[in-house]
Amino acid sequence: MEYLIRSLAAQRDNVGYRDNGIPITVLAYADDVALVSRKPDGMMKLLDLADRIAAWSGLKFNPRKCATLHVAGGRVRGTEFRLGGGTPASMAEGESYDYLGIPTGFNVDQTPGRLIEEIVENIDALDASLLAPWQKIEALNMFLLTKLDFILRGGRVRKGPLKILDKRVKRALKDWMYLPMRASWEICHLDPRKGGAGVFSTADQVDILTVSHAFRLLSSREPWVRALVDSAITKTVRNRTRREPEERDIAEYLYGSMRAEFGRYRFDVASLWSDARMASSRLSVKIGMSWNWSDVRREFEIVIPAHGREVDVIRVPPNKARMLGKLLRDAVRHRYLARLLAKTDQGKVFECISASPFSNHFLRTGANTRFCDWRFVHRARLGVVPLNAATRWGPRDDLRCRRCGWQSETLPHVLDHCKVHSNAWRGRHDAILHRLAGEVPREGVEIRVDRTPPMIDSALRPDLVVVDEGRRKIVIVDVTVPFENRKNALDYARQTKFQKYSGIAQQLADRGYTVSLSALVVGALGAWDPQNWVVFRDLGIAKRNVGRIAKFMISDAIRWSRDIYVSHVTGKILYPTTPALPPGLGTNYSPRNCSEDDDPTK
């Protein structure tokens, strides 16, 4: 292939087609080769040369897998050419040949209609399969939608068919996540680390790939590619401004500016650059992206707002062009998250679970998650589970709790306030506490669970007290499982624990102990407070274990909350009366069992 390409490229000055003054004879990627010439006899010279080199190297072209196209005067000519002892098909106007997966021809619609239909058929087959829901989401994201990436980057694709595909994808994702149609669509596109399915919208993907492709061409290190690109973009901007453009004008054009001559009503010739201009304009509205020309470095750069970073903006120079697609996708996903958090009902839990990827550890693998938990947790996090005070449509005459008669039956009430389920609250709390206590190193320490600290005259009993007499150190930890009613709910729960046990901590400090007081906050729907890592450090738990323990605690909270909800709705108690204790605890470990007085069946 190298001999072939070099020999054909050497003929560009003689027979090559000139694109913006740059002669071209051959385009190649791996073993896919396209020959280009300005005249039919020049094309025959190239084909004869290709035949001779193929014969010399022991290869032979298959004319049945090749095609030719002759365009002159704005019309397709039916000229036939010879190759490999045969005649390749001569394409007519509107006919296409898939070159690198992109339909190529004269007046050809490059929208991959058949491929989109095939993906929809595969989604239907995936939906009917026996794969787990999270496996279906992963298969869709990894194996189906990625088929479109190359053609979206290099072809001119209409948005209409893509919108139809997006609609089918959203419907499938909501089915696999057991969400009603009124659930916010942003969850389909959020990063799995933020609580979403991680499936990117094809409409936004087109804009990101178009801008990334244009920027990489402008940043190419190949001299002839740069010459071709510079000539093409300069010609495009010159047609718009009616003057010779500078680099700053090119950046302003690509940014989508409508200032002065850029806003005059003129039709751009359809090209990659006009597509990049429109895509940049849409991304500018969505995420504030912009093109810029640096006079100091004499190069183009793309500026993206830096959401959640120490700097205000991220500047992407040419040598970082490969990172642009990821940075743009991250910025668009941040916009999805911001839209969801702005919703007063469906966004409050996501404000908590998006703070740590551990809150969503099960989304891609289903680890430690029952199928019934999966069917519950996504609806619960969006607040769209059926309850008297949480329905949007239908009669809402009686909003009271069906079990205790409270004035409003909402999910926070059911999971954290309906006293009928007080035994389950203790079970959920103890399941998390037992996992924590079971991982504390026991050598040389006394572990007290739900007991008063030593030498203290107080009725308060912290959940976990670890006494190390040798080092004169005491660690006090209390576990709390609040409902994720925005981030301040977790902060309030933590602060309440500090206020409750600060007196005990001070008394122990007065006796000469080094006291560490902390709270472990796990949301009822699996939100992991990043401040929890301090608890593991204070208890001396090995770093290699903390991630595993945190994931189990999150899954415990979700499992118990699901059982509480179903028990509340059906009236059938699903949760055990006494949580199981972790194995291997010493005799100095004495948890408090749930009493029969707390049994909600009585």
Side-chain angles (χ1 to χ4, degrees):
M1 295 302 298
E2 185 67 18
Y3 282 113
L4 176 67
I5 293 169
R6 286 179 181 270
S7 301
L8 293 169
Q11 303 297 318
R12 58 176 175 264
D13 292 329
N14 299 325
V15 299
Y17 172 78
R18 291 188 174 272
D19 188 351
N20 293 294
I22 309 298
I24 302 172
T25 53
V26 57
L27 304 171
Y29 183 86
D31 62 342
D32 288 321
V33 180
L35 306 183
V36 189
S37 180
R38 61 179 177 268
K39 291 183 179 180
D41 58 347
M43 178 58 70
M44 278 309 310
K45 291 181 180 179
L46 294 177
L47 293 173
D48 289 341
L49 177 59
D51 260 337
R52 292 200 304 272
I53 296 174
W56 167 79
S57 60
L59 302 176
K60 185 177 181 180
F61 289 104
N62 185 351
R64 290 177 298 176
K65 292 186 177 181
C66 303
T68 63
L69 174 65
H70 179 197
V71 180
R75 292 168 49 195
V76 175
R77 314 291 182 175
T79 307
E80 293 185 347
F81 299 92
R82 301 285 298 176
L83 176 67
T87 303
S90 179
M91 292 190 297
E93 182 174 352
E95 293 183 344
S96 64
Y97 179 89
D98 284 352
Y99 179 65
L100 299 180
I102 300 177
T104 304
F106 188 71
N107 285 340
V108 169
D109 181 9
Q110 292 186 318
T111 303
R114 181 67 195 105
L115 178 58
I116 292 176
E117 292 176 1
E118 179 185 329
I119 292 175
V120 171
E121 293 172 0
N122 288 336
I123 292 174
D124 295 337
L126 198 60
D127 192 26
S129 72
L130 297 180
L131 292 174
W134 50 86
Q135 292 174 324
K136 294 179 181 180
I137 296 174
E138 192 74 2
L140 172 67
N141 212 14
M142 295 295 293
F143 303 115
L144 298 187
L145 297 182
T146 50
K147 295 180 179 181
L148 289 170
D149 282 0
F150 188 82
I151 192 170
L152 295 183
R153 180 185 293 110
R156 306 196 72 245
V157 181
R158 291 183 290 111
K159 291 290 186 74
L162 295 181
K163 290 181 179 178
I164 296 175
L165 175 60
D166 275 342
K167 185 179 293 186
R168 178 66 185 95
V169 168
K170 288 178 184 177
R171 186 168 71 250
L173 290 173
K174 287 189 175 182
D175 287 344
W176 298 340
M177 299 177 82
Y178 294 88
L179 293 170
M181 292 310 296
R182 71 182 181 95
S184 295
W185 57 266
E186 289 88 357
I187 192 175
C188 299
H189 306 314
L190 287 184
D191 191 303
R193 295 172 298 178
K194 302 293 184 180
V199 177
F200 215 81
S201 164
T202 57
D204 288 333
Q205 185 80 326
V206 170
D207 292 339
I208 290 172
L209 291 175
T210 301
V211 172
S212 301
H213 187 48
F215 187 64
R216 291 182 67 174
L217 287 177
L218 284 169
S219 308
S220 175
R221 299 178 183 177
E222 290 290 338
W224 78 270
V225 174
R226 281 299 303 271
L228 179 62
V229 169
D230 291 344
S231 176
I233 186 62
T234 300
K235 179 180 178 181
T236 300
V237 180
R238 185 192 302 122
N239 290 339
R240 184 82 180 193
T241 61
R242 296 293 189 260
R243 61 179 174 81
E244 195 63 28
E246 300 177 354
E247 290 86 350
R248 191 176 299 278
D249 298 320
I250 295 175
E252 193 166 355
Y253 170 83
L254 291 172
Y255 174 51
S257 171
M258 298 297 291
R259 183 187 62 83
E261 63 262 54
F262 295 102
R264 293 173 187 165
Y265 187 73
R266 290 197 184 98
F267 289 103
D268 279 336
V269 176
S271 65
L272 167 66
W273 311 111
S274 62
D275 292 344
R277 171 180 168 84
M278 291 186 291
S280 298
S281 180
R282 288 188 289 266
L283 290 176
S284 174
V285 173
K286 291 178 181 178
I287 62 175
M289 185 215 81
S290 63
W291 288 76
N292 189 28
W293 168 258
S294 174
D295 290 322
V296 177
R297 295 187 299 273
R298 303 298 300 171
E299 62 186 18
F300 291 101
E301 63 182 10
I302 287 184
V303 181
I304 308 171
H307 302 289
R309 299 173 183 252
E310 296 180 358
V311 295
D312 294 330
V313 296
I314 300 174
R315 299 183 181 275
V316 185
N319 61 344
K320 301 294 184 182
R322 292 182 178 274
M323 298 176 55
L324 179 59
K326 179 182 183 302
L327 292 172
L328 289 175
R329 280 190 287 270
D330 289 345
V332 172
R333 280 186 170 136
H334 185 274
R335 174 178 175 267
Y336 294 152
L337 179 60
R339 285 173 58 98
L340 180 56
L341 298 186
K343 298 182 178 181
T344 55
D345 53 347
Q346 298 190 29
K348 59 185 181 181
V349 174
F350 275 83
E351 184 175 311
C352 301
I353 66 170
S354 62
S356 172
F358 281 87
S359 305
N360 312 292
H361 71 92
F362 56 90
L363 284 179
R364 300 191 68 173
T365 63
N368 313 323
T369 303
R370 303 175 300 179
F371 283 94
C372 58
D373 298 335
W374 177 273
R375 292 192 292 268
F376 164 77
V377 67
H378 305 295
R379 290 182 296 162
R381 287 179 167 185
L382 286 176
V384 293
V385 292
L387 288 170
N388 289 341
T391 56
R392 179 172 295 183
W393 313 114
R396 299 180 61 183
D397 298 332
D398 190 358
L399 307 182
R400 293 176 300 173
C401 175
R402 71 192 74 189
R403 301 300 169 200
C404 69
W406 181 253
Q407 60 186 359
S408 182
E409 187 187 63
T410 61
L411 190 60
H413 169 76
V414 172
L415 299 185
D416 281 83
H417 301 290
C418 185
K419 294 184 178 180
V420 172
H421 307 297
S422 59
N423 189 48
W425 301 345
R426 168 59 65 176
R428 181 177 60 191
H429 169 277
D430 286 353
I432 297 172
L433 174 60
H434 295 163
R435 288 200 185 274
L436 182 65
E439 296 291 338
V440 176
R442 302 180 181 88
E443 186 176 353
V445 299
E446 177 188 3
I447 301 175
R448 292 171 170 255
V449 176
D450 196 26
R451 294 166 57 191
T452 58
M455 302 167 289
I456 293 295
D457 184 15
S458 173
L460 296 178
R461 298 188 300 181
D463 288 328
L464 180 62
V465 179
V466 179
V467 182
D468 187 345
E469 286 290 351
R471 299 167 57 190
R472 300 290 291 175
K473 180 180 178 180
I474 294 180
V475 179
I476 301 175
V477 179
D478 210 64
V479 176
T480 180
V481 189
F483 188 83
E484 297 95 330
N485 191 6
R486 300 286 177 184
K487 183 65 169 62
N488 55 7
L490 304 186
D491 295 336
Y492 176 77
R494 181 180 297 278
Q495 191 60 35
T496 299
K497 294 298 182 182
F498 279 121
Q499 293 175 355
K500 182 176 181 180
Y501 296 106
S502 59
I504 292 178
Q506 185 59 48
Q507 293 182 49
L508 292 171
D510 293 341
R511 291 178 176 269
Y513 287 92
T514 300
V515 182
S516 174
L517 173 60
S518 55
L520 185 77
V521 182
V522 183
L525 295 176
W528 182 259
D529 192 336
Q531 298 184 57
N532 288 340
W533 303 121
V534 177
V535 175
F536 294 97
R537 184 196 65 193
D538 292 344
L539 292 174
I541 299 175
K543 290 184 178 180
R544 64 178 180 274
N545 296 328
V546 295
R548 171 182 56 82
I549 303 167
K551 293 175 182 179
F552 276 120
M553 290 178 175
I554 291 164
S555 297
D556 286 338
I558 294 173
R559 180 172 65 252
W560 277 88
S561 294
R562 179 265 171 191
D563 290 346
I564 291 172
Y565 168 76
V566 176
S567 299
H568 181 89
V569 173
T570 63
K572 181 179 179 181
I573 303 301
L574 300 181
Y575 42 81
T577 56
T578 303
L581 303 180
L585 290 177
T587 56
N588 56 353
Y589 180 87
S590 55
R592 167 178 176 258
N593 293 328
C594 301
S595 65
E596 293 184 356
D597 296 336
D598 294 330
D599 189 345
T601 61
K602 294 186 178 181

